[in-house]
Amino acid sequence: MFSSGPKSRTTTALLAIFLGWAGIHKFYLGHRNVGAIHAALTGVGLLALLAPFFASASNLVAINIVAWTAILIGYFYVRRVHFGHTTAEILNPGRLLLWPWRLIRHTFRVVGFGANMMEREEEERDWRRYQRWRRCGGRGRRGRRDDNDDDDNGGCFSPGCIVLVLGILLTLAVVALIIFLYYVVFTFIGIIAFVASIAIGVTEGILYFRKSDSAFQNEYVVNRRPWF
């Protein structure tokens, strides 16, 4: 069945329609790499759809990492090998997956701003202690803190501390939101991958039926056209 030589158009079309989701028609035509990609597309789709129902929390993270890696490798391979796109053309739309992490830079700036505010507030408190020490003629321990001076009590209710805590909470919230969005996107991609895998097989099977035997042999067997 998978030997070289002329192929049956009808057999190829039926394999594409009923077993196209597993890439069997690609293996039949001799396109082993494309067949593997087609089968992997279905596998990743099923993995994304079924993993939340059958995997534990720790295993789900590992499954997502493996599936995302497979998606990215397949995406790069197909565009580079089968469509001849350059690395820059391949990576350009892929940068969309990274833009949410740019928000982290802004939250880190809030954290840094709060830390700087706390540092300036501490310097101001030290300066006020020093001025009190001088007013007292240098008597007593330098920089002694006067608990009755409300202006000298910063603590975690100072503006700098509040900004710092808000920045940390905002960073954690943004990270959690990004992880949740990636999970949603991954699940959506899984649905698209599974449906697309079946649709590609059916579409190719219909196209095979619509061609003549000579055109089919010339395009898909002799010229080894991999897709559609």
Side-chain angles (χ1 to χ4, degrees):
M1 180 177 179
F2 299 108
S3 60
S4 59
K7 302 296 181 180
S8 169
R9 178 174 62 91
T10 303
T11 300
T12 307
L14 292 176
L15 288 175
I17 292 174
F18 295 104
L19 296 175
W21 52 269
I24 300 300
H25 63 299
K26 298 297 184 183
F27 289 104
Y28 176 69
L29 290 173
H31 304 304
R32 294 181 177 85
N33 292 337
V34 180
I37 292 173
H38 206 131
L41 187 66
T42 304
V44 170
L46 287 175
L47 197 64
L49 292 175
L50 300 180
F53 301 99
F54 298 100
S56 61
S58 58
N59 293 335
L60 186 60
V61 174
I63 290 173
N64 277 265
I65 293 175
V66 171
W68 268 110
T69 303
I71 290 174
L72 294 177
I73 292 176
Y75 168 78
F76 187 91
Y77 179 84
V78 170
R79 291 199 60 179
R80 186 64 182 268
V81 176
H82 294 286
F83 295 98
H85 294 164
T86 63
T87 302
E89 292 174 335
I90 295 171
L91 294 179
N92 188 44
R95 292 191 181 98
L96 292 174
L97 295 175
L98 300 177
W99 76 263
W101 293 104
R102 297 177 182 175
L103 296 174
I104 302 297
R105 293 185 302 178
H106 300 290
T107 61
F108 281 163
R109 290 174 182 172
V110 176
V111 173
F113 182 71
N116 292 334
M117 286 182 63
M118 290 187 66
E119 184 177 355
R120 289 194 298 268
E121 290 168 357
E122 184 62 29
E123 291 175 353
E124 292 175 359
R125 286 193 291 270
D126 289 341
W127 174 254
R128 288 193 294 269
R129 296 185 195 120
Y130 175 70
Q131 293 298 322
R132 287 197 301 270
W133 178 76
R134 290 189 59 185
R135 287 195 300 268
C136 293
R139 297 187 300 273
R141 183 168 59 87
R142 181 178 174 179
R144 183 179 62 186
R145 183 165 180 163
D146 186 2
D147 292 333
N148 294 324
D149 190 351
D150 294 337
D151 189 51
D152 197 33
N153 292 326
C156 282
F157 294 100
S158 65
C161 183
I162 294 175
V163 173
L164 178 63
V165 172
L166 288 178
I168 294 174
L169 293 177
L170 184 61
T171 300
L172 295 176
V174 170
V175 171
L177 179 61
I178 291 175
I179 293 175
F180 174 74
L181 290 177
Y182 270 85
Y183 175 76
V184 172
V185 170
F186 174 70
T187 304
F188 179 74
I189 289 178
I191 297 173
I192 296 299
F194 183 68
V195 174
S197 179
I198 299 175
I200 289 173
V202 173
T203 303
E204 288 185 322
I206 294 174
L207 290 177
Y208 296 155
F209 272 128
R210 291 174 63 88
K211 291 184 178 294
S212 63
D213 288 333
S214 59
F216 172 81
Q217 295 294 330
N218 183 57
E219 290 185 23
Y220 299 102
V221 180
V222 178
N223 294 326
R224 297 183 60 79
R225 185 175 182 178
W227 300 95
F228 300 104

